[in-house]
Amino acid sequence: MTDNKTIESLDPRVTRLGISESWDGSLEPKAPMDQFETYEVFVKPKESKPFEHAGIVHAPNEEMGFLFAKEQYTRRGFTCFGLFVVPTSSIQVAPMIDGDTNLYDLIDEDAEVDRSGEKTSYELFHLKKRGKQHVYAGTVEAHGFEDAIMEGKKNFHDGKPLVNLWVIRTEDLFVPEDAELDLWSTLHEKKYREPIDYKAADKIKKFKEEQAAG
């Protein structure tokens, strides 16, 4: 047995690790870029509703992230009037709190915040209750993430429970130029994707009636 001989396994994930048969138990740093980045997906469920967080996809870049998100979150009867993605690493997350507290009430308005440089736009997403999804609250112009939270308190504090807050630079959102309403307008016509279109229940019922009659 030589040092350069690696373990081969029925599990391809083990084989890909390239572990030497003479491995001494030591570990090496995880190689960078050996898996896809995660992108957070936001959808507009109704024309009159705000965008809300739907989930994540893994993708090599934002263009593919958008395509994967469209495939994953606009199929099988899911109503969608818009979609965008943003790298998970681009989202600044406030601490999660419990109870009926509003997160904005915990912010010290007298705290020192760096307001140097030019303002840019930020998008704020509120989580009203654990187990729900973050929902779009609005856009603010601010000097940075901390300043954006301060502006959020001025503009979107309604006194109701708020357990978490996400802040994203507007420029980090990925929305293709052609991602307008007509991109989603045909989704609801694709009945062939729906199990109901195959009338399975009717066929089962007919089969049972025939068996009972026979």
Side-chain angles (χ1 to χ4, degrees), residues 114-124 138-149 151-152 167-173:
D114 182 7
R115 292 187 172 90
S116 60
E118 296 183 0
K119 286 186 175 181
T120 187
S121 61
Y122 292 83
E123 311 297 336
L124 274 62
T139 304
V140 298
E141 296 292 322
H143 294 279
F145 286 101
E146 292 183 357
D147 189 32
I149 294 175
E151 292 298 319
V167 184
I168 311 170
R169 270 192 303 263
T170 304
E171 64 185 31
D172 291 332
L173 309 183

Side-chain angles (χ1 to χ4, degrees), residues 1 3 5 7 19-28:
M1 180 167 57
D3 291 341
K5 187 175 181 181
I7 295 173
I19 301 174
S20 171
E21 288 188 349
S22 59
W23 182 53
D24 61 2
S26 60
L27 298 175
E28 296 181 358

Side-chain angles (χ1 to χ4, degrees), residues 9 12 22 25 29 50 66 76 107 115 139 171 173-174 188-189 192 196-197 209:
S9 170
S22 59
F66 182 87
R76 304 190 182 280
I107 296 174
R115 292 187 172 90
T139 304
E171 64 185 31
L173 309 183
F174 180 74
H188 320 301
E189 300 172 1
Y192 62 85
I196 193 173
D197 194 51
E209 290 174 346

Side-chain angles (χ1 to χ4, degrees), residues 116-199:
S116 60
E118 296 183 0
K119 286 186 175 181
T120 187
S121 61
Y122 292 83
E123 311 297 336
L124 274 62
F125 290 81
H126 288 176
L127 181 64
K128 296 289 188 178
K129 184 179 180 181
R130 283 178 178 266
K132 300 295 184 179
Q133 297 287 13
H134 285 75
V135 177
Y136 179 64
T139 304
V140 298
E141 296 292 322
H143 294 279
F145 286 101
E146 292 183 357
D147 189 32
I149 294 175
M150 293 287 194
E151 292 298 319
K153 181 174 182 177
K154 294 177 184 177
N155 292 278
F156 311 126
H157 186 2
D158 59 6
K160 297 178 181 179
L162 177 64
V163 300
N164 196 243
L165 172 69
W166 287 356
V167 184
I168 311 170
R169 270 192 303 263
T170 304
E171 64 185 31
D172 291 332
L173 309 183
F174 180 74
V175 186
E177 293 181 1
D178 60 349
E180 304 295 340
L181 184 61
D182 59 352
L183 179 65
W184 320 105
S185 60
T186 61
L187 291 176
H188 320 301
E189 300 172 1
K190 297 177 180 177
K191 298 297 184 182
Y192 62 85
R193 288 178 169 179
E194 301 298 326
I196 193 173
D197 194 51
Y198 294 93
K199 304 185 185 305

Side-chain angles (χ1 to χ4, degrees), residues 4 9 35-36 100 109 138 168 174-175 200:
N4 59 0
S9 170
Q35 64 185 33
F36 290 154
D100 297 328
E109 295 181 359
I168 311 170
F174 180 74
V175 186

